[in-house]
Amino acid sequence: MNLKAYDKEHVEFADPNFRIKIWTIDHPSQASDQFGPWHYHEEVELIAVLQGTLTMETTHLSYNLKAGNVMMLGSNELHRSHKHGHDDLLYIVCHVDMVAFMNPSLLPYLAAFTGRSANLTQLNETLRKYPASRQVIHQLIHEMLLDMTIQQRGYELSINASLKKLMYTFIQIDDTHIIKPMDPRLAEKLRPALVYIEQQLEISFQIADISNKLNYNSSYFAKLFKKGMGMTFTSYVQMRRMKRAEQLLLTEAWSVTEISGKVGFTSPAQFYQLFKRHFGCSPREFVKKRILDKL
């Protein structure tokens, strides 16, 4: 993928219902050591170096990652990388949609681990102080790669468990409290709203519909939602509608117009516009590409 400077990268998942992508990148000794383009993406990125040295640069810091080192990049963190030195470089890259892996019981950590209430990249400084934890995280990333590659029966459960343990390990070493869980009382207030949103994605609704149902003032509820989720109510609902549309496009033989109605749009044109902005292509192009990928 050729990305222009400061471009947003769209991460494509092989399975829209299992939103994690993990693979290895191999740069032989003769490969260029020039920086790649600056880019960013919604997904959290995990890196584990297996061989050689990788230089990873954010807008604030530069990291030389050697074999055994790991790094986390938060959502929408601008970054670029290059091979450091003349040795072969081999490393694992993992892109994960944290929202898809946060079940209701983990709601207090949703905003933090999606990078909306915490700068996850700052955890890399903490990692340097805890080599044992760094080794655990490196091993977990490697295990997720093996699970995704071999795909034995139940591999999804294994990857899910590894990801949860990885998050737990980061929490344990977070001595500067970068990861701040949502207040349990706030989580309980928002939980019914999130359930309602999932149940009502097929219809058009406004924030007033939910706030009235929960007996909240609309303005107060909007502030409450953004504080807890790290994004506005409208942005969250649009994100959930697009994720549902993605699933339906790949699992149902419905027309784009039918799917737009199934995810709460009264105007197919509005659905088309939002889908293209979210995925970088039209719904038909999205499906066509997935079909070609399977050939």
Side-chain angles (χ1 to χ4, degrees), residues 41 47 195 202 243 247:
H41 38 75
I47 295 169
V195 171
E202 288 192 22
K243 290 185 185 300
Q247 294 168 351

Side-chain angles (χ1 to χ4, degrees), residues 96-274:
V96 56
D97 177 0
M98 286 296 194
V99 174
F101 287 89
M102 303 296 278
N103 58 43
S105 66
L106 298 176
L107 178 61
Y109 292 99
L110 176 61
F113 274 108
T114 53
R116 294 186 173 93
S117 68
N119 184 352
L120 297 177
T121 308
Q122 292 179 354
L123 288 170
N124 296 303
E125 293 301 310
T126 306
L127 270 174
R128 296 180 178 183
K129 298 186 291 184
Y130 297 96
S133 296
R134 187 171 65 234
Q135 184 177 359
V136 169
I137 293 170
H138 191 281
Q139 181 63 31
L140 288 169
I141 295 173
H142 196 221
E143 288 174 3
M144 288 193 293
L145 172 67
L146 294 176
D147 285 331
M148 185 65 84
T149 303
I150 300 172
Q151 294 195 1
Q152 291 184 342
R153 185 182 181 190
Y155 76 95
E156 300 96 336
L157 294 172
S158 179
I159 290 176
N160 208 312
S162 293
L163 194 57
K164 298 298 192 302
K165 186 173 182 180
L166 186 148
M167 288 189 282
Y168 173 75
T169 304
F170 270 114
I171 291 172
Q172 294 306 299
I173 65 172
D174 180 24
D175 50 17
T176 56
H177 300 284
I178 295 168
I179 301 170
K180 296 179 180 178
M182 190 192 309
D183 184 284
R185 292 169 296 181
L186 178 56
E188 282 305 309
K189 289 180 180 179
L190 291 180
R191 200 181 304 276
L194 299 180
V195 171
Y196 180 89
I197 290 170
E198 293 302 311
Q199 293 175 342
Q200 304 297 325
L201 285 178
E202 288 192 22
I203 65 173
S204 177
F205 57 83
Q206 304 297 324
I207 190 169
D209 298 318
I210 296 183
S211 59
N212 290 339
K213 188 177 181 65
L214 300 177
N215 296 318
Y216 289 127
N217 171 274
S218 293
S219 178
Y220 169 77
F221 179 71
K223 294 177 182 177
L224 197 71
F225 193 94
K226 187 170 184 180
K227 179 181 179 182
M229 303 302 293
M231 67 179 84
T232 65
F233 173 84
T234 300
S235 295
Y236 180 81
V237 173
Q238 286 182 346
M239 178 190 71
R240 295 306 305 158
R241 291 194 196 281
M242 289 300 99
K243 290 185 185 300
R244 178 69 59 83
E246 181 184 29
Q247 294 168 351
L248 294 177
L249 280 166
L250 297 180
T251 58
E252 302 291 347
W254 295 334
S255 68
V256 173
T257 299
E258 287 175 311
I259 288 177
S260 69
K262 290 290 185 181
V263 293
F265 287 86
T266 55
S267 167
Q270 184 185 20
F271 167 75
Y272 182 95
Q273 184 180 34
L274 184 60

